[in-house]
Amino acid sequence: FDAATGNGDQLINLDALMGKAKVLEGKRQWQQALECLNKVIVMHPFYLPALIEKAKTLIMTVDWDQALESAARIQQHEPNNIEALRLNVLFLLSRESKCDAAAEKLQELVQAIHQLEPKNH
């Protein structure tokens, strides 16, 4: 991955950085994975898969505030994003114990799944 991502002024390969981040996540090297994802986000601010991976990785580091911030950023670009909605439901249930609010978000999630993935339910 290092050869493909380049150094210094060389063009950085988006796929290689995303792949490197996934490998680092698999090794539970969360901070290094976040560094790769942050590079991708700086170079491609509207590339939602990097924001989604960052939010998931932040949850693994137990940084819920930044994870929710990333989820909110995702939803600014794509309000019915399934992963962002899923992270919000997870937060409301596991960290806040707000069952009613989680039920509302879960309804939004179900509607998003029906809309975006009609053959996958």
Side-chain angles (χ1 to χ4, degrees):
F1 288 110
D2 291 331
T5 58
N7 295 321
D9 295 334
Q10 294 177 343
L11 180 64
I12 296 178
N13 186 325
L14 172 69
D15 292 329
L17 277 174
M18 290 297 291
K20 184 175 180 180
K22 286 304 274 183
V23 168
L24 291 167
E25 288 172 10
K27 293 180 178 181
R28 299 182 185 273
Q29 295 176 354
W30 311 120
Q31 293 306 319
Q32 293 92 331
L34 284 170
E35 288 173 18
C36 287
L37 293 168
N38 285 331
K39 285 180 186 178
V40 172
I41 292 165
V42 167
M43 292 183 311
H44 307 279
F46 300 108
Y47 185 63
L48 294 183
L51 285 170
I52 292 167
E53 284 303 315
K54 180 178 179 179
K56 291 178 183 179
T57 303
L58 287 165
I59 287 174
M60 298 308 291
T61 65
V62 195
D63 191 343
W64 285 95
D65 292 335
Q66 283 193 34
L68 288 174
E69 186 178 308
S70 293
R73 191 169 162 192
I74 294 163
Q75 287 188 292
Q76 285 177 346
H77 300 288
E78 192 177 297
N80 288 334
N81 184 281
I82 292 171
E83 288 299 318
L85 289 168
R86 189 179 66 84
L87 293 174
N88 277 302
V89 170
L90 179 64
F91 172 76
L92 290 168
L93 287 173
S94 65
R95 302 295 295 176
E96 297 287 313
S97 299
K98 294 183 178 178
C99 294
D100 292 338
E104 290 176 24
K105 280 288 181 191
L106 192 58
Q107 252 331 12
E108 287 180 43
L109 175 59
V110 169
Q111 289 173 354
I113 291 171
H114 285 297
Q115 177 186 358
L116 299 172
E117 298 186 16
K119 295 182 180 185
N120 196 18
H121 56 81

